[in-house]
């Protein structure tokens, strides 16, 4: 898995503090940033958090490049609706020889891993076989419609990808560019940094949190699962490891 912060709102902490200042002080646009020292910025952000007034944090956004993750993760990720996604297409991009993600529990069990790898190999072979058969079929059809062989084959490959992808497993790798504003990230980290989140998206969430904290430390100093700020929000479904999660969060803050 690779997660990289590609772009973000410059001086996000200060921008959000300015938005908060506009809400609570008699400042006009021309003087809004005046006097916003690091200390004043922190003061305004503390006030926002204490009031539960999160709308100003939406002005700061963050864009991530993500690769080496599965389509299974993608299905969970897109449940977070206040975000923008660009995902590698399985129609325009051939997945011949596709890479895949192996769950740690399968990796740790030799018998399960052997079956898993055999299944991935069969999927790859079936994908190639179906894709090649469809390419030949569609190329012939397009040529009969008067298209050149080169053009017919290019069209046939895209059309073949579209249907052959149905045999690809959820483990198949994908690449994503994702943008979220700070408020959406708060919700994302609360849900996905939790130990009860699925392992792959949990790992990704912690990598994301570590990177945004480096560029906007005040905005994200308390971001994370509910248990880093108080009681676990999972009730009877708690993982029972809140102290370990808090220790991980503290260690990240100390980097």
């Amino acid at each position: 898995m690779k997660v990289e912060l590609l772009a973000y709102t410059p001086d996000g902490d200060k921008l959000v503090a300015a938005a908060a200042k506009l809400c609570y002080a008699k400042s006009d646009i021309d003087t809004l940033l005046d006097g916003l020292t690091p200390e004043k910025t922190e003061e305004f952000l503390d006030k926002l958090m204490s009031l539960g007034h999160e709308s100003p944090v939406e002005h700061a956004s963050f864009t991530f490049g993500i690769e080496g993750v599965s389509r299974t993760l993608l299905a969970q990720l897109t449940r977070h609706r206040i975000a923008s996604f660009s995902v590698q297409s399985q129609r325009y991009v051939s997945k011949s020889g596709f890479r895949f993600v192996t769950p740690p529990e399968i990796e740790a069990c030799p018998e399960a891993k052997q079956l898993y790898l055999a299944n991935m190999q069969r999927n790859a072979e079936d994908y190639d076989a179906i894709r090649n058969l469809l390419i030949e079929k569609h190329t012939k059809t397009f040529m009969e419609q008067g298209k050149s062989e080169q053009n017919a084959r290019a069209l046939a490959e895209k059309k073949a990808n579209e249907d052959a992808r149905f045999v690809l497993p959820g483990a198949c790798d994908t690449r994503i560019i994702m943008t979220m504003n700070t408020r959406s990230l708060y919700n994302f980290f609360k849900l996905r940094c939790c130990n009860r989140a699925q392992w792959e998206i949990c790992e990704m969430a912690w990598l994301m949190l570590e990177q945004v904290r480096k560029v906007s430390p005040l905005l994200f100093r308390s971001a994370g699962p509910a248990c880093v700020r108080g009681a676990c929000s999972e009730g009877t479904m708690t993982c029972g490891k809140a102290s370990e999660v808090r220790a991980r969060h503290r260690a990240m803050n100390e980097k």
Side-chain angles (χ1 to χ4, degrees):
M1 180 186 297
K2 180 179 180 181
V3 176
E4 182 177 348
L5 182 60
L6 299 177
Y8 56 92
T9 302
D11 293 321
D13 291 347
K14 191 173 183 179
L15 176 63
V16 171
K21 181 180 178 182
L22 182 69
C23 294
Y24 297 108
K26 291 183 178 181
S27 300
D28 56 36
I29 299 300
D30 292 335
T31 62
L32 197 57
L33 295 175
D34 294 350
L36 269 184
T37 62
E39 293 75 21
K40 277 292 183 182
T41 295
E42 185 170 2
E43 181 182 324
F44 274 112
L45 294 181
D46 284 344
K47 184 175 183 178
L48 283 183
M49 297 304 109
S50 67
L51 294 173
H53 183 192
E54 292 189 346
S55 62
V57 306
E58 294 177 14
H59 295 294
S61 62
F62 301 80
T63 299
F64 302 87
I66 303 163
E67 62 183 22
V69 296
S70 70
R71 299 286 292 200
T72 296
L73 178 145
L74 177 63
Q76 299 176 82
L77 183 59
T78 51
R79 292 175 183 173
H80 294 271
R81 295 169 181 83
I82 312 302
S84 299
F85 303 99
S86 297
V87 181
Q88 185 184 65
S89 173
Q90 289 184 343
R91 292 179 67 198
Y92 293 94
V93 179
S94 167
K95 297 303 290 183
S96 182
F98 65 86
R99 295 180 180 180
F100 55 88
V101 174
T102 302
E105 293 297 332
I106 293 179
E107 183 72 40
C109 178
E111 296 85 356
K113 183 178 179 181
Q114 183 178 4
L115 289 171
Y116 184 81
L117 295 179
N119 182 263
M120 292 300 111
Q121 181 63 33
R122 285 194 301 273
N123 273 283
E125 291 171 356
D126 289 345
Y127 174 83
D128 286 341
I130 291 170
R131 181 173 179 270
N132 290 333
L133 287 168
L134 291 177
I135 287 173
E136 295 307 314
K137 174 189 174 183
H138 296 322
T139 299
K140 181 180 178 181
T141 300
F142 285 131
M143 289 180 67
E144 288 172 350
Q145 293 172 356
K147 293 179 171 54
S148 68
E149 183 176 358
Q150 182 178 3
N151 191 20
R153 189 163 187 87
L155 291 170
E157 287 185 1
K158 175 192 167 185
K159 193 171 179 62
N161 290 345
E162 184 172 354
D163 293 327
R165 63 179 170 166
F166 276 77
V167 302
L168 293 173
C172 183
D173 76 314
T174 192
R175 296 180 175 90
I176 306 164
I177 290 181
M178 177 182 70
T179 301
M180 282 188 183
N181 67 44
T182 303
R183 195 177 194 178
S184 293
L185 283 169
Y186 286 169
N187 178 63
F188 180 79
F189 293 141
K190 178 183 177 182
L191 297 174
R192 303 302 185 174
C193 288
C194 175
N195 267 359
R196 294 198 64 248
Q198 185 262 353
W199 67 269
E200 188 181 15
I201 201 168
C202 183
E203 178 182 342
M204 187 184 78
W206 279 98
L207 291 173
M208 290 168 58
L209 178 56
E210 184 175 353
Q211 294 190 41
V212 295
R213 277 191 52 79
K214 290 178 181 178
V215 298
S216 291
L218 295 179
L219 280 178
F220 292 100
R221 62 184 170 184
S222 297
C227 64
V228 304
R229 295 179 299 280
C232 173
S233 61
E234 295 293 306
T236 58
M237 302 294 286
T238 181
C239 71
K241 299 180 179 179
S243 59
E244 294 179 18
V245 176
R246 291 171 188 143
R248 180 179 184 179
H249 194 266
R250 285 194 301 271
M252 180 188 64
N253 291 345
E254 294 167 1
K255 285 185 179 180

